[in-house]
Amino acid sequence: MSFFSRAQSTAVRIAKPADEEDAVKQPTPRKDSVQRQCRNIVIYGHCRYQDKGCVYYHPPAEDSLPPQPSSPSPRVDSPAIATITTQALNAPVFVPKFAAANTTTPAESNPTSPVPQSQNSGSQPTTVEEMQYQYETQNGYQDQGDGEYVEGQSYEQEHQEYGQHDYPGYQGYDYQVDQAGNVLQGMELTDPNYYEEYHPHDMMDASYYNAAPVFLRQPLNYLLYTPFTPAEQVRNPQATHFVPSSTDLRQALQERSETARTVNLVDLGLPEELQGYHTLVPIEPVNVAAADRKKFGNWYSTVYRAVRTSDGGAHCLRKVENFRLSHQAAFAPIETWSQIHHPSIVWVREAFTTRSFNDNSLVVSYAYHPNSKTLYDAHMKPKPLPIPTYQQSVYYGRHQPRNHLSNQPQQQWIEERTLWSYIVQIASAIKAVHERGLAVRIIDATKIIVTGKNRVRISSCGIFDVLLFGTPQPDLATLQQEDLLKFGRLIFALCSGNLNAATPANLQKSVEAMKKVYGVEVQALALFLCSSKIKKSIDEVLDMIRPKILQEQDEALMATDRLENELMGELENARLFRLMCKFGFINERPEFARDARWSETGDRYIIKLFRDYVFHQVDEHGNPVLDLSHVLTCLNKLDAGTDEKLMLVARDEQSCLVVSYKDIKSCVSNAFDDLVRATTAMQSGKDARVI
Ligand SMILES: Nc1ncnc2c1ncn2[C@@H]1O[C@H](COP(=O)(O)OP(=O)(O)OP(=O)(O)O)[C@@H](O)[C@H]1O
């Protein structure tokens, strides 16, 4: 079998599988003990009892070196081994039930198929069991009927005899272990090309290329590996304007995922079910003193995250307290808003009224963007100074007044590049809304959220259309002019860090401050938008910022390339899952449950033992060990096919094998290829015989 032939194994004897057909292998009569070589000679090189009654054969001095066992398979330097084909070393013949009945493929018709077991009854063993059996029978072992092989004279008896010798270096020496190890080493193939010859392709490729001209896409293609995009083809592997570096991107996505799964630790008295939503979690602080609460127009509002029952997705619910719906038609604009899908507008989903909060509330549901911040929080909110270290405290305590350490409002300047990005995105959102015959109505630093690197979205759209329904309102053109005015005020606020920067009292000061930091285009745009005398349109605004729009488009396309590349890197995330699938396909197939050759021998037996090693470890008290890192480590090593060795122990703990991950990978490959060949043969209507 290929596995044993390649292993640099120190394996001990392999227990004969219980259900092996004993009838096939008739043990040779036990040799007479007088003719058998004394084990003292084998082990120690001499026998102290040679002339004192030891009944075993003692060869002359020149022959007394421990002989190589009469291996069923010649050593690597033997000419015979060079002629052993990979097929001959492969696992025993397996014929699937569905194919065995009506198909017989001659071995020569399929060069990859090993010779059937029945044809291997000659001197050349082809399976682990045959090799082991042949070796053991040649060395005088006989089957006791329970799967264990013992010598005519019990090992314990002989051990007692040898135990009289005091050789500390050989304490615990196991003759059988050593002999079996010799056999395995004798079967070792040292030809470096052997492995490649045997597996010219990757284990999945092998079945692909070996298969007859059948080009089925399933399931094989899903198991092929996807190559990485060469780095030189990726224009910008580092952070781009819209996409952070890979590490930061992963971190941000991880944090978003975590945030989206947070739950309330204390009972906040929120309704358990709310018109098809459940698991409400407030996104902003609740139980704030009434004096500290900011109003949303004339109303108080609270933002929650909730799970929608119909799709299981997280949504953002804005509840407006104490709102009494005057007419059902007030919800009509929400219908229009829900049809606007724009990258810079938080998607409006639906609106409803409820009494679940023990009042009359309006609730508008939006798409949820975890870990988003308002523009105000991100860029304008005064940030407290970092807490000084002890040394800093001492230094400042001596050299500067103590109030230096207090939280002073820190003016934050948005980078001009980022500012233009925000301007372009918001202008684009306004354009989309105005084109739909609506007005945004709320363009404010506290209602525009930053959802990613340099990405903003206008939130709370549609809500004023419902709240102000039925009240006297300006016409649409006026509302759209107000949008542009609010847009101008927002630019001033962002440039000066002051929400009231565009009020008549502050305007001159704000313009001066803006001049110092930002280019004239920003100033010209802001002043244009804030001038109430000129009738403006969003198209004029877009004309003014056309060069910046092109720059944004380039950045957006670059972001697409970057994200595609990131996605490419994630394609192989399913590596271990595919490996697990293969184990699932191979291990304990019910249709082969009675076929000992499938599950208890050859490659499949190794895979089964490896499965036990990975998943069924127990501690010294026999308790299951559920160590995910052990599982991941093992599977990764197996996937890579490392040369590292591990010891597999049979379930009866009577035998063990030392094998490398590379060997096990080859076993998995062989077993899986067998299944694939059977599958493709069956699907193509061809001969379905495998192996
Ligand atoms: N669609 C959304 N997805 C995720 N979080 C959101 C969404 N909309 C708003 N938020 C977040 O909810 C929180 C509260 O939003 P809100 O609009 O009330 O801002 P605010 O800072 O509380 O404003 P105000 O001070 O006017 O109340 C903010 O942190 C905001 O980032």
Side-chain angles (χ1 to χ4, degrees):
M1 179 184 144
S2 57
F3 162 71
F4 290 104
S5 63
R6 283 189 299 282
Q8 298 273 338
S9 182
T10 56
V12 298
R13 180 178 61 80
I14 306 161
K16 180 186 177 190
D19 0 352
E20 191 176 1
E21 296 170 12
D22 295 340
V24 178
K25 300 166 182 173
Q26 295 299 332
T28 52
R30 182 179 173 238
K31 293 175 186 173
D32 183 66
S33 63
V34 176
Q35 295 173 347
R36 296 179 62 203
Q37 182 171 327
C38 175
R39 287 189 171 180
N40 277 342
I41 300 291
V42 174
I43 300 170
Y44 309 120
H46 67 277
C47 174
R48 286 170 59 183
Y49 300 93
Q50 181 171 345
D51 302 322
K52 297 177 185 173
C54 180
V55 295
Y56 293 100
Y57 171 63
H58 300 94
E62 61 272 16
D63 298 332
S64 61
L65 285 172
Q68 295 297 327
S70 52
S71 165
S73 176
R75 289 184 62 82
V76 65
D77 50 356
S78 164
I81 193 71
T83 62
I84 295 177
T85 63
T86 54
Q87 292 87 352
L89 289 169
N90 212 333
V93 175
F94 162 68
V95 180
K97 286 180 180 172
F98 60 81
N102 55 1
T103 57
T104 50
T105 303
E108 56 272 22
S109 67
N110 182 358
T112 60
S113 300
V115 182
Q117 190 175 28
S118 59
Q119 298 172 13
N120 289 338
S121 52
S123 59
Q124 184 98 308
T126 59
T127 66
V128 175
E129 291 70 30
E130 286 179 19
M131 294 178 192
Q132 174 195 348
Y133 175 80
Q134 189 169 332
Y135 164 69
E136 288 172 341
T137 50
Q138 285 171 6
N139 282 275
Y141 293 95
Q142 63 184 23
D143 189 1
Q144 294 293 299
D146 58 357
E148 293 290 323
Y149 288 86
V150 296
E151 284 198 47
Q153 182 179 1
S154 75
Y155 172 72
E156 285 73 20
Q157 276 178 296
E158 293 194 10
H159 196 264
Q160 280 170 8
E161 176 191 340
Y162 298 134
Q164 295 166 10
H165 302 266
D166 192 15
Y167 291 105
Y170 292 96
Q171 293 285 332
Y173 183 87
D174 188 331
Y175 176 73
Q176 291 181 339
V177 170
D178 191 46
Q179 290 298 296
N182 287 342
V183 171
L184 294 171
Q185 283 166 9
M187 291 188 291
E188 170 190 332
L189 292 178
T190 53
D191 180 4
N193 295 324
Y194 174 77
Y195 205 80
E196 283 88 53
E197 280 172 24
Y198 188 76
H199 285 290
H201 319 292
D202 181 79
M203 65 181 181
M204 285 150 295
D205 295 345
S207 50
Y208 181 84
Y209 289 111
N210 288 342
V214 178
F215 299 101
L216 295 171
R217 294 184 64 80
Q218 294 182 21
L220 203 54
N221 278 359
Y222 291 116
L223 297 157
L224 290 172
Y225 282 75
T226 308
F228 282 101
T229 309
E232 58 272 17
Q233 287 181 20
V234 183
R235 281 200 58 209
N236 191 348
Q238 302 305 315
T240 58
H241 183 67
F242 288 120
V243 185
S245 68
S246 291
T247 320
D248 290 349
L249 181 63
R250 275 162 202 276
Q251 179 77 16
L253 294 178
Q254 197 71 43
E255 284 170 4
R256 279 183 214 169
S257 163
E258 209 171 304
T259 301
R261 286 170 174 75
T262 50
V263 290
N264 291 329
L265 292 179
V266 289
D267 184 11
L268 297 171
L270 298 172
E272 287 196 353
E273 206 279 333
L274 183 69
Q275 305 256 3
Y277 293 86
H278 62 87
T279 319
L280 270 67
V281 178
I283 296 178
E284 57 186 334
V286 288
N287 301 330
V288 180
D292 297 335
R293 294 189 73 186
K294 288 188 205 148
K295 280 200 162 180
F296 187 83
N298 291 325
W299 296 266
Y300 287 115
S301 80
T302 312
V303 182
Y304 299 94
R305 189 198 76 220
V307 177
R308 192 155 84 162
T309 313
S310 58
D311 58 12
H315 288 68
C316 173
L317 302 183
R318 183 178 289 273
K319 178 194 75 170
V320 179
E321 296 169 19
N322 294 317
F323 170 78
R324 194 176 288 273
L325 186 72
S326 57
H327 203 281
Q328 190 67 25
F331 285 145
I334 293 291
E335 179 71 27
T336 315
W337 275 105
S338 69
Q339 290 161 7
I340 298 179
H341 299 268
H342 191 276
S344 298
I345 296 175
V346 178
W347 186 18
V348 182
R349 307 301 306 270
E350 59 180 330
F352 53 87
T353 51
T354 180
R355 302 184 69 137
S356 302
F357 294 97
N358 300 322
D359 67 347
N360 291 309
S361 305
L362 167 71
V363 176
V364 183
S365 169
Y366 296 93
Y368 174 61
H369 297 277
N371 283 353
S372 59
K373 277 182 179 176
T374 63
L375 269 180
Y376 177 79
D377 285 343
H379 296 289
M380 299 166 71
K381 195 173 179 181
K383 288 204 169 46
L385 286 173
I387 297 169
T389 62
Y390 174 73
Q391 286 84 354
Q392 285 171 333
S393 303
V394 171
Y395 178 84
Y396 290 131
R398 284 184 195 147
H399 299 282
Q400 291 187 15
R402 291 195 70 80
N403 64 5
H404 174 83
L405 301 174
S406 64
N407 290 348
Q408 301 285 334
Q410 299 292 302
Q411 170 70 56
Q412 300 177 58
W413 300 105
I414 303 179
E415 272 184 43
E416 186 163 344
R417 179 73 199 85
T418 302
L419 181 67
W420 276 116
S421 202
Y422 290 168
I423 291 171
V424 171
Q425 290 172 61
I426 294 165
S428 171
I430 295 171
K431 166 83 175 157
V433 174
H434 288 190
E435 274 184 349
R436 294 299 299 245
L438 294 167
V440 181
R441 305 186 79 153
I442 182 155
I443 300 175
D444 185 295
T446 63
K447 294 294 168 284
I448 295 175
I449 55 176
V450 182
T451 56
K453 188 165 181 258
N454 294 323
R455 286 284 289 113
V456 287
R457 288 174 159 91
I458 303 175
S459 74
S460 311
C461 291
I463 206 159
F464 272 117
D465 296 302
V466 181
L467 291 174
L468 300 178
F469 183 84
T471 60
Q473 290 183 64
D475 60 5
L476 179 65
T478 311
L479 288 175
Q480 291 183 343
Q481 287 297 309
E482 282 180 12
D483 279 352
L484 299 178
L485 185 67
K486 287 172 187 164
F487 187 17
R489 287 181 188 155
L490 174 71
I491 296 173
F492 271 116
L494 289 173
C495 290
S496 59
N498 178 5
L499 283 175
N500 299 317
T503 57
N506 295 334
L507 190 61
Q508 190 55 39
K509 210 171 130 198
S510 301
V511 172
E512 294 301 320
M514 189 186 265
K515 269 185 196 167
K516 287 182 192 158
V517 183
Y518 299 101
V520 286
E521 296 107 319
V522 180
Q523 191 191 328
L525 177 68
L527 286 173
F528 172 74
L529 288 167
C530 284
S531 95
S532 49
K533 291 176 189 154
I534 313 168
K535 195 167 182 318
K536 313 162 282 276
S537 76
I538 187 63
D539 288 325
E540 286 172 82
V541 176
L542 293 174
D543 279 346
M544 286 178 79
I545 61 174
R546 188 185 301 131
K548 306 296 177 191
I549 295 174
L550 290 177
Q551 195 178 354
E552 283 300 296
Q553 195 213 354
D554 291 344
E555 293 289 1
L557 293 178
M558 211 175 277
T560 314
D561 290 349
R562 271 274 290 117
L563 288 176
E564 270 184 16
N565 187 50
E566 291 290 336
L567 189 61
M568 203 63 154
E570 302 303 312
L571 280 184
E572 286 313 316
N573 273 357
R575 268 173 43 242
L576 297 188
F577 173 72
R578 283 193 296 247
L579 208 49
M580 298 282 293
C581 285
K582 286 182 181 176
F583 277 118
F585 285 138
I586 295 165
N587 279 321
E588 288 156 23
R589 295 188 68 85
E591 71 267 34
F592 305 141
R594 292 170 186 278
D595 189 340
R597 289 173 305 167
W598 172 258
S599 59
E600 297 293 339
T601 66
D603 291 349
R604 270 76 59 179
Y605 188 55
I606 305 297
I607 298 165
K608 184 175 159 183
L609 292 188
F610 180 71
R611 197 263 314 267
D612 284 352
Y613 175 82
V614 176
F615 297 105
H616 299 161
Q617 297 254 351
V618 291
D619 64 13
E620 62 272 26
H621 305 297
N623 300 318
V625 175
L626 308 178
D627 183 357
L628 188 60
S629 61
H630 166 74
V631 173
L632 287 174
T633 307
C634 292
L635 292 181
N636 275 323
K637 287 176 181 172
L638 175 65
D639 192 47
T642 65
D643 286 323
E644 184 182 324
K645 292 196 171 77
L646 68 158
M647 187 169 75
L648 303 178
V649 183
R651 285 186 173 177
D652 61 5
E653 297 183 352
Q654 297 303 304
S655 60
C656 59
L657 297 164
V658 176
V659 294
S660 69
Y661 284 97
K662 191 174 180 179
D663 294 318
I664 301 172
K665 182 176 179 176
S666 149
C667 292
V668 174
S669 166
N670 291 340
F672 184 72
D673 286 352
D674 293 344
L675 293 175
V676 171
R677 274 198 290 276
T679 308
T680 41
M682 185 184 69
Q683 289 178 351
S684 64
K686 290 192 162 200
D687 191 348
R689 184 168 183 138
V690 293
I691 303 186

